[in-house]
Amino acid sequence: MKLKDPELLREAAFVAGAWRPVRNDGDTVINPANGERVGEQPRLQRAEVEHAIQSAQAAFREWRQHTGKERAAVLRRWADLMLENADDLAQIMTAEQGKPLAEARGEIVYAASFLEWFGEEAKRGYGHTIPEPKRGQRIKVIKEPLGVCAAITPWNFPSAMVTRKVAPAIAAGCTVLLKPAPQTPFSALALCVLAQRAGLPAGVLSVVTGDARMIGEVFCSSHLIRKISFTGSTAVGKSLMANAAGTLKKLSLELGGNAPFIVFDDADLDAAVAGALASKFRNAGQTCVCVNRFFVQRGVHDEFVARLKAAVATFRVGDGCADGTTIGPLVNGAAVDKVTRLVADALDAGARAELAVAATGAPGESGSFYPPTILTQVQPSMRIAQEEIFGPVAAITRFETEEEAVALANDTRYGLAAYVYTQNVHRCHRLERGLEYGIIGVNEGLISTEVAPFGGIKESGFGKEGSFYGLDEYLDSKYICHGGAA
Ligand code: ADP
C-alpha cells in the first residue's frame, strides 16, 4: 500500500480520543487477494470496553449540549476530509476487504454522503405542539438524543455501514461505541483519524476491537448503552436481541436477505440485465441486498440468460488493486467454501451450470477467489434458493404466471430487498403491494442511497437507516404537559 498519508492506517483501537496500540495482543488482518498481512488490531480487555462506555457517557453530557448547527459543522468537515482522502481510504479498504479499487472509491463517496446528509438533518430534529384537550394546558413534544449507542458493523461495506450508523447517532447528539468487523477494522479506524481532524470531541466516537462475543455481552448488559444498531447475520442479530432484553435496549437490526429479482415477459431486457449485473455482482455478490433468486418468465427466460451470460463473460476476476478487475476475491476461504458447497448441492439436485468465468488474472492460490457463475433450472427447494449465497452466483428459476412469481418471491423468512422488471404499470402497482419486502426496486437494480430509508421486515430485521427516518432511530420523543396556563 502506498498511502499519501500513512497516518490513516492505524494498528490501534480508538478509545476516548486516544489510540490504544497493539500490546502483544494483536489479531492479524489478512488481504483476501493474496493472503498477506495488512496489519494488526488489539484485542481489548473487558475492562477497557467498560471504560470506553464510561467515557462515551461522559462525552454525551457535553455533546448533547451542542446545537444541531454545531454538530452539522463537524460532520460536514468530516465528510469533506473523507472525500479529500478518498484514494487512501479506498486503498485501505481494498487491502482488507478485497473489492476493486473503483468500487472501494465509490463506497467512500457513499459513506461520506451519510455524514453530509445527517449533518444537514441535525438541524431538523423537530418536535411538535399538540392542541390541548383541556383549557389551561399546553402540550409539546421535544426530541432528545437517546444517549450512548453501540454500533456493530460487518465487513462487506467497511466504511458505509459505519457512517450509516454513526452519522445519525452523532447528528442526534448521541455518542457511539463502534465495533467494526474483525476482517475490516482499518477502514473504521481511518475514519476516526479524520473525525479527530474534523474536530469531533474525544469520547463522542470510540472504536473497540477484539473478541466479538465478549464485546457484544458487555454492550448488551450495560445500563448506560441505550441502543444497539447491528448489521450482520440473522443468527447474531437474534442473540443480540435476546441478550439486550435484560436491559431493555432499543435495537436496529439489519440482517440477512434472500432477495428475489423478477423479470416478466414485458420487461425491457437491456434494463433487466443491467440491473441484474449491478444488484447481483457488485462486491462479488457480498451485499445483503444482492439478488439471491432470479425468477424469469418463460417467454424471455432463454433470451435473458443468454444476455446475462454474454455480459458476465466479460468480467475480470482478480486482485482489487489490479487495473481492470471487476470482481475481487471473497472475504476469506470460508466464504469460498460456503459458495462452493451451495453450488455443488444445486448441481447435484439438478441445476445446470451455464457459465463459470475462469478467474482471469487471479493471482495464484493464495487469494479467496470464486468465479462468477450462472445456474439455471434452480428449484425453490434447493439450499441455494433458501440460504444467502453471498457470492457471485446467479441462481435462475423459470416461472409461468404473476401469481406464481409473487408466491415464490414471498416464500422466505427474509424480507429485505426485492427487484421487479416489467413495463406494465398496473403490474407494478400490484407488486408494490404484493411483495413482502422493506425495499423494492422497480426497474432499478441500485437502491441504496443516503436519502431513502433502508431496512427490512420479517427475519431481515427492523429499523431504518438513511433519510429522516434514520435520524429518528436515535431520538426519544419527550411529551411535556403544562397546566394552569393563562
Ligand atoms: P458474518 O458472518 O457476515 O461475518 P456476523 O453476524 O458474524 O456476520 O458479523 C457481523 C458483525 O457482528 C461483526 O462485527 C462481528 O464481529 C460481530 N459479531 C459476531 N458475533 C457476535 C456476537 N456474538 N456478539 C456481538 N457481535 C458479534
Side-chain angles (χ1 to χ4, degrees), residues 3 59 80 87 143 149 208 223 234 248 314 367 375 408 423 439 484:
L3 301 180
D80 289 344
D87 289 338
K143 296 278 186 170
C149 297
V208 293
H223 289 280
T234 296
L248 230 53
T314 66
L375 302 178
L408 285 167
Q423 298 195 85
I439 304 168

PDB file of all heavy atoms in Angstrom, residues 3 59 80 87 143 149 208 223 234 248 314 367 375 408 423 439 484:
ATOM      1  N   LEU A   3       0.271   4.853   0.656  1.00  0.00           N
ATOM      2  CA  LEU A   3      -0.679   5.892   1.044  1.00  0.00           C
ATOM      3  C   LEU A   3      -0.006   7.260   0.973  1.00  0.00           C
ATOM      4  O   LEU A   3       1.152   7.406   1.353  1.00  0.00           O
ATOM      5  CB  LEU A   3      -1.162   5.636   2.474  1.00  0.00           C
ATOM      6  CG  LEU A   3      -1.853   4.292   2.736  1.00  0.00           C
ATOM      7  CD1 LEU A   3      -2.279   4.205   4.196  1.00  0.00           C
ATOM      8  CD2 LEU A   3      -3.048   4.105   1.820  1.00  0.00           C
ATOM      9  N   ALA A  59     -18.771  11.930  27.602  1.00  0.00           N
ATOM     10  CA  ALA A  59     -18.790  12.784  26.411  1.00  0.00           C
ATOM     11  C   ALA A  59     -20.219  13.173  26.032  1.00  0.00           C
ATOM     12  O   ALA A  59     -20.461  14.268  25.524  1.00  0.00           O
ATOM     13  CB  ALA A  59     -18.119  12.055  25.244  1.00  0.00           C
ATOM     14  N   ASP A  80     -15.970  16.180   4.148  1.00  0.00           N
ATOM     15  CA  ASP A  80     -15.012  16.772   3.192  1.00  0.00           C
ATOM     16  C   ASP A  80     -13.654  16.072   3.297  1.00  0.00           C
ATOM     17  O   ASP A  80     -13.002  15.799   2.285  1.00  0.00           O
ATOM     18  CB  ASP A  80     -14.840  18.272   3.461  1.00  0.00           C
ATOM     19  CG  ASP A  80     -16.084  19.061   3.060  1.00  0.00           C
ATOM     20  OD1 ASP A  80     -16.918  18.502   2.318  1.00  0.00           O
ATOM     21  OD2 ASP A  80     -16.218  20.215   3.500  1.00  0.00           O
ATOM     22  N   ASP A  87      -8.678   8.448  -2.069  1.00  0.00           N
ATOM     23  CA  ASP A  87      -7.770   7.465  -2.686  1.00  0.00           C
ATOM     24  C   ASP A  87      -7.116   6.582  -1.620  1.00  0.00           C
ATOM     25  O   ASP A  87      -7.038   5.357  -1.769  1.00  0.00           O
ATOM     26  CB  ASP A  87      -6.692   8.167  -3.516  1.00  0.00           C
ATOM     27  CG  ASP A  87      -7.282   8.773  -4.785  1.00  0.00           C
ATOM     28  OD1 ASP A  87      -8.358   8.302  -5.206  1.00  0.00           O
ATOM     29  OD2 ASP A  87      -6.687   9.723  -5.316  1.00  0.00           O
ATOM     30  N   LYS A 143     -37.726  16.450  20.934  1.00  0.00           N
ATOM     31  CA  LYS A 143     -36.884  15.305  20.554  1.00  0.00           C
ATOM     32  C   LYS A 143     -35.563  15.429  21.289  1.00  0.00           C
ATOM     33  O   LYS A 143     -34.927  16.489  21.270  1.00  0.00           O
ATOM     34  CB  LYS A 143     -36.621  15.319  19.054  1.00  0.00           C
ATOM     35  CG  LYS A 143     -37.873  15.138  18.225  1.00  0.00           C
ATOM     36  CD  LYS A 143     -38.252  13.677  18.118  1.00  0.00           C
ATOM     37  CE  LYS A 143     -39.416  13.492  17.165  1.00  0.00           C
ATOM     38  NZ  LYS A 143     -39.693  12.122  16.845  1.00  0.00           N
ATOM     39  N   CYS A 149     -24.810   5.033  22.367  1.00  0.00           N
ATOM     40  CA  CYS A 149     -25.287   3.991  21.455  1.00  0.00           C
ATOM     41  C   CYS A 149     -24.120   3.108  21.028  1.00  0.00           C
ATOM     42  O   CYS A 149     -22.981   3.561  20.977  1.00  0.00           O
ATOM     43  CB  CYS A 149     -25.911   4.619  20.209  1.00  0.00           C
ATOM     44  SG  CYS A 149     -27.363   5.620  20.597  1.00  0.00           S
ATOM     45  N   VAL A 208     -13.843  -0.003  19.426  1.00  0.00           N
ATOM     46  CA  VAL A 208     -13.291  -1.098  20.228  1.00  0.00           C
ATOM     47  C   VAL A 208     -13.114  -2.326  19.340  1.00  0.00           C
ATOM     48  O   VAL A 208     -13.992  -2.653  18.534  1.00  0.00           O
ATOM     49  CB  VAL A 208     -14.187  -1.413  21.451  1.00  0.00           C
ATOM     50  CG1 VAL A 208     -14.176  -0.252  22.428  1.00  0.00           C
ATOM     51  CG2 VAL A 208     -15.617  -1.726  21.045  1.00  0.00           C
ATOM     52  N   HIS A 223     -25.994  -0.805  31.404  1.00  0.00           N
ATOM     53  CA  HIS A 223     -27.168   0.047  31.622  1.00  0.00           C
ATOM     54  C   HIS A 223     -26.983   1.414  30.990  1.00  0.00           C
ATOM     55  O   HIS A 223     -27.946   2.164  30.829  1.00  0.00           O
ATOM     56  CB  HIS A 223     -27.444   0.183  33.120  1.00  0.00           C
ATOM     57  CG  HIS A 223     -27.957  -1.090  33.720  1.00  0.00           C
ATOM     58  ND1 HIS A 223     -29.269  -1.486  33.603  1.00  0.00           N
ATOM     59  CD2 HIS A 223     -27.318  -2.087  34.380  1.00  0.00           C
ATOM     60  CE1 HIS A 223     -29.435  -2.666  34.182  1.00  0.00           C
ATOM     61  NE2 HIS A 223     -28.260  -3.050  34.652  1.00  0.00           N
ATOM     62  N   THR A 234     -28.377 -13.008  10.642  1.00  0.00           N
ATOM     63  CA  THR A 234     -29.618 -13.146  11.404  1.00  0.00           C
ATOM     64  C   THR A 234     -29.357 -13.867  12.727  1.00  0.00           C
ATOM     65  O   THR A 234     -29.922 -13.504  13.759  1.00  0.00           O
ATOM     66  CB  THR A 234     -30.675 -13.889  10.559  1.00  0.00           C
ATOM     67  OG1 THR A 234     -30.961 -13.070   9.418  1.00  0.00           O
ATOM     68  CG2 THR A 234     -31.955 -14.117  11.320  1.00  0.00           C
ATOM     69  N   LEU A 248     -33.337  -3.962  28.338  1.00  0.00           N
ATOM     70  CA  LEU A 248     -34.414  -3.385  27.528  1.00  0.00           C
ATOM     71  C   LEU A 248     -33.945  -2.267  26.597  1.00  0.00           C
ATOM     72  O   LEU A 248     -34.433  -1.146  26.634  1.00  0.00           O
ATOM     73  CB  LEU A 248     -35.521  -2.861  28.457  1.00  0.00           C
ATOM     74  CG  LEU A 248     -36.933  -3.296  28.130  1.00  0.00           C
ATOM     75  CD1 LEU A 248     -37.075  -4.796  27.996  1.00  0.00           C
ATOM     76  CD2 LEU A 248     -37.878  -2.809  29.193  1.00  0.00           C
ATOM     77  N   THR A 314     -17.640 -11.084 -19.656  1.00  0.00           N
ATOM     78  CA  THR A 314     -16.634 -10.012 -19.802  1.00  0.00           C
ATOM     79  C   THR A 314     -16.005  -9.630 -18.464  1.00  0.00           C
ATOM     80  O   THR A 314     -15.098  -8.811 -18.418  1.00  0.00           O
ATOM     81  CB  THR A 314     -17.259  -8.737 -20.405  1.00  0.00           C
ATOM     82  OG1 THR A 314     -18.195  -8.203 -19.457  1.00  0.00           O
ATOM     83  CG2 THR A 314     -17.981  -9.027 -21.722  1.00  0.00           C
ATOM     84  N   GLY A 367      -5.247 -16.340  -2.939  1.00  0.00           N
ATOM     85  CA  GLY A 367      -6.409 -15.472  -2.802  1.00  0.00           C
ATOM     86  C   GLY A 367      -7.693 -16.270  -2.736  1.00  0.00           C
ATOM     87  O   GLY A 367      -7.771 -17.386  -3.249  1.00  0.00           O
ATOM     88  N   LEU A 375     -26.400 -20.307 -12.847  1.00  0.00           N
ATOM     89  CA  LEU A 375     -27.094 -21.602 -12.778  1.00  0.00           C
ATOM     90  C   LEU A 375     -28.528 -21.407 -13.249  1.00  0.00           C
ATOM     91  O   LEU A 375     -29.186 -20.436 -12.860  1.00  0.00           O
ATOM     92  CB  LEU A 375     -27.137 -22.128 -11.335  1.00  0.00           C
ATOM     93  CG  LEU A 375     -25.820 -22.338 -10.598  1.00  0.00           C
ATOM     94  CD1 LEU A 375     -26.107 -22.815  -9.171  1.00  0.00           C
ATOM     95  CD2 LEU A 375     -24.944 -23.339 -11.321  1.00  0.00           C
ATOM     96  N   LEU A 408     -43.604 -17.337  -5.063  1.00  0.00           N
ATOM     97  CA  LEU A 408     -42.211 -17.807  -4.932  1.00  0.00           C
ATOM     98  C   LEU A 408     -41.362 -16.755  -4.213  1.00  0.00           C
ATOM     99  O   LEU A 408     -40.571 -17.064  -3.314  1.00  0.00           O
ATOM    100  CB  LEU A 408     -41.605 -18.071  -6.316  1.00  0.00           C
ATOM    101  CG  LEU A 408     -42.060 -19.329  -7.040  1.00  0.00           C
ATOM    102  CD1 LEU A 408     -41.620 -19.289  -8.507  1.00  0.00           C
ATOM    103  CD2 LEU A 408     -41.481 -20.572  -6.347  1.00  0.00           C
ATOM    104  N   GLN A 423     -42.842  -3.603 -17.739  1.00  0.00           N
ATOM    105  CA  GLN A 423     -43.241  -2.280 -18.235  1.00  0.00           C
ATOM    106  C   GLN A 423     -44.740  -2.065 -18.107  1.00  0.00           C
ATOM    107  O   GLN A 423     -45.268  -1.090 -18.615  1.00  0.00           O
ATOM    108  CB  GLN A 423     -42.791  -2.123 -19.681  1.00  0.00           C
ATOM    109  CG  GLN A 423     -41.275  -2.197 -19.761  1.00  0.00           C
ATOM    110  CD  GLN A 423     -40.737  -1.698 -21.075  1.00  0.00           C
ATOM    111  OE1 GLN A 423     -40.531  -0.503 -21.276  1.00  0.00           O
ATOM    112  NE2 GLN A 423     -40.534  -2.627 -21.993  1.00  0.00           N
ATOM    113  N   ILE A 439     -37.731  -3.036   0.961  1.00  0.00           N
ATOM    114  CA  ILE A 439     -37.196  -2.204  -0.123  1.00  0.00           C
ATOM    115  C   ILE A 439     -37.562  -2.878  -1.441  1.00  0.00           C
ATOM    116  O   ILE A 439     -37.331  -4.075  -1.605  1.00  0.00           O
ATOM    117  CB  ILE A 439     -35.660  -2.129  -0.043  1.00  0.00           C
ATOM    118  CG1 ILE A 439     -35.190  -1.626   1.323  1.00  0.00           C
ATOM    119  CG2 ILE A 439     -35.095  -1.259  -1.162  1.00  0.00           C
ATOM    120  CD1 ILE A 439     -33.688  -1.798   1.552  1.00  0.00           C
ATOM    121  N   GLY A 484     -52.395  24.962  34.068  1.00  0.00           N
ATOM    122  CA  GLY A 484     -52.600  26.297  34.646  1.00  0.00           C
ATOM    123  C   GLY A 484     -52.143  27.435  33.766  1.00  0.00           C
ATOM    124  O   GLY A 484     -51.790  28.507  34.262  1.00  0.00           O
TER     125      GLY A 484
END
